[in-house]
Structure formats: C-alpha cells, structure tokens
Amino acid sequence: MIRGKEQQPFRISSGGEIERTQPLGFRFDGKNYIGYQGDTLASALLANGVRLVGRSFKYHRPRGIYSAGPEEPNALVHLRSGGRQEPNTRATQIELFAGLEAKSQNRWPNLKLDLMGVNDLASRFLVAGFYYKTFMGLPGWHFYEHFIRKAAGMGAAEHIPDPDSYDKMHGHADIVVIGAGPAGLAAALQAGETGARVFLIDENDRPGGRLRAEQESIDGRPAMDWANETVAALQDMENVTLLTRTTAFGYYDGDTIGAVERVSDHLLAPAPYKVRQRRWLIHAKRVLLATGATERPLVFDGNDRPGVMLAGAARAYATRFAVQAGKSAVIFANSDDGYRTALDLAYAGIDVRGVIDPRTGGQGELKDRVAARGIDIVEGAAVVRTHGYLGLAGVDIADLETLRSGRMPETRFIPCDLLATGGGWSPNVHLHSHQSGRPVFDPAIAAFVPGASRMNDRSIGAARGRFSLAECLADGIAAGRETAQGLGFPVGSSPATPATDEPATGSFMTLWQVPALPGRKARSFVDLQDDVAASDVKLAESEGYVSVEHLKRYTTLGMGTDQGKTSNINGHGILAEARGMDIAAVGTTTFRPPYTPVAIGAFAGRERGRHAHPVRRTPMHDWHLANGAKMIEAGLWMRPQYYLQPGETPSRAAMDEAIIRETLAVRNAAGISDVSTLGKIDIQGADAAEFLNRVYINGWKTLAIGKARYGVMLREDGIALDDGTTSRIGENHYYMTTTTAEAGPVMQHLEVLLQVHWPDLDVKVASVTDEWAAMAIAGPNSRAILSALFPNTDFSNDAFPFMGVRETDLGGIPARIFRISFSGELAYEIAVPADYGTAAWERCIEAGAGHGLLPYGMEALGILRIEKGHVTVSEIDGRHTAGDLGFGGMMSTKKRFVGDAMAAREGMADPSRPALVGLTPLDGKTRIRAGSVLVADPKTPPPVPKLGHVSSSAYLSPNLGRPISLGMLKGGRERIGETVWAVFPLRNEAVECRVTAPVVYDEEGARLHG
C-alpha cells in the first residue's frame, strides 16, 4: 500500500483539490515519487521536496519551480518517451497521471552536476550581443557555428514517429468567452441565459481560474461553491459549449479563435480510437477576453535561485494543491497582495519569517491581519541579495531609500528556503494584441492594458486591469448581458452582483529593479529562462538598442518558450529608466500567436505521412504497375517515371536504358503516355467565347467548332499563370486543358473572375479532371494506330488537320480525339470517361503492337519536350512574363485580357529580362543540372552577378547524342551562340555551355504536321 504522506514531506495534511484516495506513482530523472490525482507535475515535485528542476539556457544556472501556470520560465521538462516524447513541457501545466515519466533538460551529465555550468563562470564575457561581437571575426562564423549549434537549443526532439492522432474541429458561436475565472463565468452565464450560442474556453482541467488558488468568498460562501454552481448551470444549457483543458492560442481575422484542446494529455496514452489533441477554429460574432493577469516578479540580486517563487504561485500551491513550497518563507512584494500571501502561507503551516514591503506608511486590513499573527513586517525595505546554490538558504534585506541614494545600507540576513515575490499583476493582453490591438500603459497598476480594439472583442476583469473579485464579477455580468443584447438576444432585468468580503487595500508601488549593493556586481535577472540580466538591458541601451523590438532581439529578452510573460514588463521598465523616459513612451513588443507553444501535430491533424495530401492515381495506375512502371510523384499524382521490360531489374543502368528506349520509340515509331493528370475544365454558356477571349492573351472568338487552340493566360500582375489548349466542342461548349500542377489554381482563377469580376457573363465552369482518362499516342506511326482504333474516322491531314477535335466512340466507348502534340511528333490525345480508361488503354496497346508502340514515362516525356523547347511549371514558375517565355507575339493588341495593363509596363517588356533559351554543354557530354545558376565567369570574386538559371535539364537526348537543357537567361535572345557557365554550388560544379534557341530538334516542325 502506498503511504503518500510519508513520502511527501511538504504535503499539507488536509485541504486542496487533490484526491488523497488516488495516489499516483511517477518518475522524475529516474527516481520514483508519489503524488495525487489533481496534482500537476510541479506541485507533486514540490510535495516531495524537489526544488531543483532545470538549468537556465545560457549560463546553466540552477533553476527551481517559479510559477503555477503557463508563464513558467524554469520548470521545462522532457515528458514521456519514445514517439510520445515532448520536450520543453511546462511542469506547472502537466496534470499528474500514473506512470508519468519526466526528466530535466539542458544539463549534462545530470542536474546537480552540469558541466555546462562553466558558462556561469564566464558570464562576464557572455553578455548581451556577445555572439555578434565574438563570432563574426576570424576564423569566421562558419567555423564557430558547428560548436554553437551543438550547445544551443532547449530540449531534444526524437526522430520516432508520433503514434497518436490529432483532430481538427470547427465551431460557430455568437459569443466566445475565453477564460473561466470569475469574470468569464459570470459573462458566459449571462450570455447563455439569453439563448445565445456561447463557447466558454479555459486552459485548466476545470473552471474557476484564480478562485481555485485563493481564500475568497462570494455571498458568504467559498467562492468555488459559486463557481461550481455556475458551471453546473452552464452545462445544463444546450446553447453553451464548455471546453476545458483548451488553450486559445490565437485571435485571427474575422473574429476567429484558434484553440487546442488537450483531450488525452492528462493520460499516459490516449484510449483506443481517442485523439491526443484537437485543434479548434471557432468563428465568433463577438469575443469576450477574460484571460486574467500574470504576476510579475521583482528584479534583485540573486532572484533566480531555486526557492524564489512568485507570491501568487506560492499561494496556489498551498491552497489548491495542499503543498508547502517551503518550510520557512519570506515575502517580498510591492502591494498588499504580499500580505495575502503571508496569511495563506501561515495558514498552510509555513513559518513566515517576514514580509518585506518597499512601501512606507501603508495601512490596510490585510496588513493588520498579518501583524496580528505576529509576523514581522519590514517597511521601506527590499531584498538585496539571496544565498544558496542548489536551493535558497536565506536573504539579505536592506533599506531601499538608502540603496537608492547610493550609500551602503545596513543589511539583515533572514534564513529561509522560500522567497515569495510579487511585483504586481500584468493583464494578459496577448489575444487582444493578436488582432492588432495596441496595449496602453496604466500607471495606476504599472501595466499595459488593452487599448482600442480592431475586432469585435471586449476585455473584461483582470484582463483589463480590474483585479478585485467584485470588479471581475460586475465586469463579467455587464459584458455578458450587453454583448448578447447587442446581437439582438433578449435580456431580462439586471441581476445583482454577488457580494464579496474583500478588504480594502493600500496603494501600489512601481519597482522595476532593486539597486545593487554599492561595490557589488549584482546578478539581477529579468528573463530567467534566457539569462537576460538587468545589466544586459542597460548595456543594450548604451549601445543604441533603444527600441523595445531591438532590445528583444539583441538581448533575447522574452524570446524563450515563455515568450516573456514574466520578464517583458520589467525589461521595458528598466529600459525606460535607462533612457530617462516614461515606460508608456517606450512601449511594448508585439505579441503574436501562439500564446503558448502548440504541438505541430495539432496543426497537421490527420494530414500526415501519406495523409498529408491526397495521393491521386490515374485510371490506368494498376496497368502501369503490372507492366513494369516505376512510379514517381508529380504534384499530387502518381505517374510512371519509366517502364522496365520483363527480365530487367531495377538499377541506374536499367533506368537509363529504359528512358533511351522510350524516347527513341516516340521519335522512330510510336509511344503512348498517360496524360490523365492534365487539368480539364468544362466551360459552357452563351458568353463562353467572350470569357476565353478575356482570360487568354490571344484571340478566341474565331475558333471553329471541332478545333483546338493553344493559349497562355496571365495573372492580374502580368505574370504568366498557365498554358494549355482549349477545344470548341459545340456552339457554346468548350473543353480546357491545363498543366497538371496548375489545375487547381487555374480553376480558382476562373471562378474568381466569374463570381467577382464578371458576374454578368453567362458562363459556367466545372472541373472534370477526374471525369476523363486521357492518353497521348505520338510518333510517325501514330496515324496508323489511330486508324486501326477508329476505322470509321479519316485521319488524313485534310480530314483531320493539326489542332483538330473529333467526338466519336472507341468500340462503344465514348471518346474525344484531339490532334495535339507535346512531343513535337505527329500525335493524338484520346479522352474517354474515366471508368473506361484501362479498357481504352489496353485497346491502344493492342492496336499498336505491330507498329512498335511502347508506353513512355515522365523521363522520356521530359526529354521530348525539352528538345522542342516546350515549357512546363518549371518555366511558368510565377516569375516570368509571356514575353520571357517566347509568347510575346501571341499577345493581342486588339482586345483587353487579364493582366494586359501590368504586362505592358516598361519593366515587364524590358529586353534585358530573363528569356527562355536552350543550353548545351560545350564538351557535349557533361550534364547541366536543373537549378544551376548562370554566370559569365565562375571565377569572379563574390558577389558574382547572376545572369539566370537552368529551369529544366535532360542528362541525355538520344536523338541528339548530348545533354540538353532549358534556362532563363538575361537578354537571352541576343546571346544565342555565346557561352555562359552553369554553376551548381551544392556540388561545386561548373559547366561551360553554349546558348542555343529553345527548339533544338525539328526546328521547322515538319514532323509535328505529319
């Protein structure tokens, strides 16, 4: 039987939310411990007397648990193992579960003896900006980079696949309330009672917010009784959705909230068919931000030792978790909140040895209660130094005014193992800032509060600086009623605000930093995670980094996993003092999503591995596999790369032989290729011809029925979008083909034009890519094969000319035949309904058996089209105009079309722009790699002027006996016959090439026309 009390020396014998009948065993750094259901990993470690939990990022100084929430900068652990491992997880937010395994990180070989702690001895050299000052000189950054990267980072990721599933959900709400503390609960209840659809989101395992950590009362009863009753009422409302264990990480355009629900993170592993996490996108009409506030620390010498903790956190561990964060405590706070902490800690059995209050002459009920308990109160003083190494041993206090005058004060040592510090509370303005809301400074609380909103949001309670319980309740009630009423929901009479028994509190004192003792070099940390000290902030200011954004990047202030939740405001306050300015003028950095780290799996959902995008297969896919095809991904499609014949085994030599065989077959006999992947768009309507005339750069009103035409379309900025053919099937019926890669974008482009720009046109478009299987038969013998397949059709040049289109049938299979060629040979494309694809393909193979017909794949197709200078997405890559690609002569001057105005700009028509050219190696044998940079001379000292790049490459044209390539070269048309160099830096290759015309085979096109 587990006897938890005996193994948890810091556990209070009664109280708290923990389930003492449910002990849970867990491991930390290889040691076994006991906690209870309801604990977090942090509270369970504290209950077991574990104070040292990690090491800081830069100096590897010992670090202890500092907070009780998402703001935790120190207690980052590596949770779980194997594929479920999770580095940089905040121990303060890990719900304890049986079998939990965690280990500390950022240390070697172990937590107590970290050899990287030598950095602390060299801290005087590792100040802000030392990277920039040290590693840019000889022997250069690239020398140091290897060593720096091995030492950098926090936590270690595994390379094992995550075995868990993640889901995505969409929600639609009238009102989203973020935060289920007193303000959020009150607002959700009022809004829910009106019938509005309400989402209430809270990151904790149950609602209540700060009430769970305080000794508060509402209407004469414990405040959590009111919270539990409110939650029960909300759960009974069908129009209210309550999401716990859910963090709203981002506020986006259109009042959309991004949130992550931790469905199974509190379990060792998800139950069968359960997900680990669920990402929500909630679309709201109004948003109420009840996100609360974060307590900020005080900055003084030695404020980072294990045992130094936020005062509110110390209260939370005592009240919510029944844990003593220490046996003997000192409180150091600049508001009456410190007296509240002293009372709660004393009630929890902790020996409170003093309250250090930098204010003087303050009066208040809380202070009187502390004095009545016999606790020492020292006014006008500050903690000036701490003692200890792996844990706190005591503090020195001194008179603050004497310190500020620069004189050496008399110090007093107080032994303790817990120092609870409180520097005031900062409203959590992060979500408000995500939608470009700028916070404004409120000197009454020395914090930034939400400013004017750009969206339909409203901050309430502590999130806008209303810290008392009575203010939070009143704010929540008013916000819930007024927001629902503004949306048209009926509201009744205003309810009375529940009564609280909060004592009056004294004034607040702004204290950004405690001055160091004269003659002592203080280690006063602002950012505990990144080891940014107050001296670093002052150094940055003296070196000219006076913008808060520059300060952040120069010192790394607020750049850790906590994103500066406990450090930013103090850092900016110290900067303001150094500049002699008000902090309101200095401002704050920009908060961006996510509010807390989000697992990549939550963003990916189930779209991972082969589910990352749909794998598309043509109707003839199985035939290809059965006949030796080696498949390759082409966009979203699987397409044959080449075909091995019986008896051939996969190898580079066999691949080369297959590619040459297929290429020569097309040029000398016939080849058949699966082109089902081409985008296909059906266009119908009385204005279809006018629509095409506006979409393409060339004219379309004269296209006859039964004919196809090649066209190029531009984006609105004048850049080429796609090319392809469109055939006229009937009077008002057209059939467009696009490149495989651009099928989706072109369809979207056409839809936008019709729905937004030209809704008056009588045109309907529909994607039919999946409705038709298509195959191209190319080569000198293609006409004979087609004549055998369609004996009732005349395929002579006169009866079926180039770019002709016919509708017929293939032995009862409906078919369309297009005399179109991408290979430059006499060629035809046959399209049949997708269900008949394999049958039609097999008939083609049978008909071509006596004519040397071979199937050919992507590699042979690439060689054939490069020989003819035909472009693909490699050239139409979003950077080039129609003129660059050689289509300038197609651009009509008699009509308007999409992109014509922008394409006519001087820069777009500049003859020195990169133009399509052919490239061949001067030695006739060296391959020119795609992606190579074209330069005049590779020996030119950097920076080497770039002339262009190689867009497509074939390692060998068997028809020409040499490698060939296409490229985009500045002033390319004027450079034909010149030589340039193709440099491929990754392999340190440089190939001298001759510039040629793009078409290097059958320049006259005689073979194309049969």
Side-chain angles (χ1 to χ4, degrees), residues 630-715:
K630 297 303 174 185
M631 308 301 287
I632 187 174
E633 290 187 22
L636 298 179
W637 292 89
M638 298 301 297
R639 300 186 69 178
Q641 182 181 16
Y642 58 90
Y643 295 82
L644 294 177
Q645 293 188 346
E648 293 180 337
T649 56
S651 66
R652 180 56 193 256
M655 180 182 75
D656 292 346
E657 185 176 340
I659 294 169
I660 293 172
R661 177 173 60 233
E662 294 167 14
T663 305
L664 291 175
V666 175
R667 293 288 186 227
N668 299 324
I672 182 170
S673 176
D674 186 350
V675 294
S676 304
T677 63
L678 293 177
K680 309 174 193 72
I681 300 173
D682 199 80
I683 303 173
Q684 298 188 38
D687 295 321
E690 172 63 23
F691 177 59
L692 292 172
N693 213 42
R694 298 180 187 182
V695 168
Y696 284 118
I697 65 175
N698 47 329
W700 286 80
K701 289 188 175 182
T702 60
L703 182 65
I705 296 173
K707 294 288 287 184
R709 181 167 292 169
Y710 179 76
V712 175
M713 60 182 72
L714 306 182
R715 303 185 319 206

Side-chain angles (χ1 to χ4, degrees), residues 94-415:
I94 300 171
E95 294 180 51
L96 197 67
F97 53 82
L100 181 151
E101 284 190 55
K103 60 182 180 181
S104 57
Q105 54 187 42
N106 206 39
R107 82 292 185 276
W108 186 84
N110 57 59
L111 195 53
K112 290 187 176 180
L113 179 61
D114 178 15
L115 296 184
M116 288 297 290
V118 70
N119 285 4
D120 197 28
L121 301 177
S123 60
R124 59 178 296 197
F125 304 107
L126 305 179
V127 295
F130 82 96
Y131 282 103
Y132 312 106
K133 300 168 184 174
T134 307
F135 301 118
M136 297 306 174
L138 292 175
W141 167 255
H142 292 293
F143 171 81
Y144 296 111
E145 183 180 20
H146 171 75
F147 304 100
I148 293 173
R149 292 199 180 279
K150 287 184 69 69
M154 302 186 67
E158 297 287 348
H159 298 281
I160 306 171
D162 187 340
D164 297 327
S165 298
Y166 299 81
D167 255 350
K168 298 178 183 178
M169 289 284 287
H170 283 263
H172 297 270
D174 295 309
I175 301 171
V176 171
V177 182
I178 301 175
L185 286 173
L189 180 63
Q190 293 301 311
E193 287 178 342
T194 69
R197 290 178 303 169
V198 176
F199 269 69
L200 177 59
I201 301 172
D202 193 82
E203 65 184 352
N204 296 299
D205 60 322
R206 53 182 288 202
R210 190 68 202 170
L211 296 179
R212 301 173 68 184
E214 303 288 357
Q215 302 283 357
E216 301 276 11
S217 66
I218 296 178
D219 288 337
R221 297 184 300 154
M224 277 306 294
D225 288 353
W226 171 87
N228 293 333
E229 291 171 1
T230 303
V231 171
L234 290 169
Q235 289 173 333
D236 287 340
M237 298 179 186
E238 294 184 357
N239 56 309
V240 175
T241 300
L242 177 58
L243 294 177
T244 56
R245 296 189 176 99
T246 305
T247 299
F249 62 78
Y251 190 169
Y252 302 97
D253 287 349
D255 293 293
T256 301
I257 301 298
V260 168
E261 180 184 3
R262 297 179 296 278
V263 180
S264 303
D265 277 7
H266 60 294
L267 306 173
L268 181 62
Y273 312 111
K274 290 284 188 179
V275 298
R276 171 85 176 271
Q277 295 179 356
R278 181 179 294 119
R279 178 174 65 82
W280 285 82
L281 279 182
I282 305 172
H283 308 272
K285 295 179 181 177
R286 300 289 187 273
V287 178
L288 297 180
L289 300 175
T291 49
T294 297
E295 189 171 22
R296 58 177 177 263
L298 290 168
V299 179
F300 52 90
D301 190 4
N303 61 333
D304 66 324
R305 298 193 194 283
V308 179
M309 180 182 292
L310 292 174
R315 289 208 304 274
Y317 288 117
T319 304
R320 176 179 166 186
F321 300 105
V323 169
Q324 297 173 330
K327 293 296 185 181
S328 56
V330 169
I331 317 299
F332 178 29
N334 58 352
S335 70
D336 282 10
D337 212 49
Y339 296 115
R340 181 178 283 110
T341 299
L343 291 170
D344 286 354
L345 297 190
Y347 181 79
I350 298 174
D351 178 14
V352 180
R353 296 184 173 177
V355 176
I356 314 304
D357 189 344
R359 302 170 297 171
T360 57
Q363 298 293 324
E365 184 180 335
L366 287 172
K367 178 181 176 183
D368 293 340
R369 289 183 191 175
V370 170
R373 290 189 66 102
I375 297 173
D376 187 22
I377 298 173
V378 185
E379 292 186 322
V383 173
V384 294
R385 183 166 56 186
T386 63
H387 297 275
Y389 181 59
L390 298 180
L392 184 68
V395 301
D396 287 337
I397 66 171
D399 180 73
L400 182 59
E401 192 59 37
T402 304
L403 267 178
R404 284 176 166 172
S405 69
R407 294 175 288 128
M408 174 62 78
E410 182 180 346
T411 62
R412 171 185 163 194
F413 174 74
I414 305 177

Side-chain angles (χ1 to χ4, degrees), residues 993-1007:
C993 351
R994 187 174 304 282
V995 181
T996 70
V999 183
V1000 293
Y1001 184 82
D1002 186 28
E1003 293 89 340
E1004 298 80 14
R1007 301 176 68 92

Side-chain angles (χ1 to χ4, degrees), residues 32 95 121 137 168 216 241 263 346 385 393 396 440 460 467 524 526 567 687 733 820 872 888 928 1005:
N32 295 319
E95 294 180 51
L121 301 177
K168 298 178 183 178
E216 301 276 11
T241 300
V263 180
R385 183 166 56 186
D396 287 337
V440 296
I460 59 176
F467 296 141
S524 304
V526 180
S567 61
D687 295 321
H733 186 188
I820 296 170
T872 65
I928 307 169

Side-chain angles (χ1 to χ4, degrees), residues 64-99:
I65 294 166
Y66 196 69
S67 75
E71 68 272 23
E72 177 59 39
N74 292 342
L76 304 180
V77 300
H78 193 106
L79 187 63
R80 297 184 174 90
S81 59
R84 290 193 171 94
Q85 64 79 32
E86 190 176 339
N88 297 324
T89 306
R90 296 172 298 283
T92 52
Q93 289 199 296
I94 300 171
E95 294 180 51
L96 197 67
F97 53 82

Side-chain angles (χ1 to χ4, degrees), residues 13 135 259 281 308 342-343 416 445 474 486-487 534 579 622 627 657 659 683 785 801 840-841 847 935:
S13 59
F135 301 118
L281 279 182
V308 179
L343 291 170
C416 60
I445 59 173
L487 291 173
R579 295 185 63 186
D622 290 342
N627 287 272
E657 185 176 340
I659 294 169
I683 303 173
I785 297 171
W841 178 275
V935 300

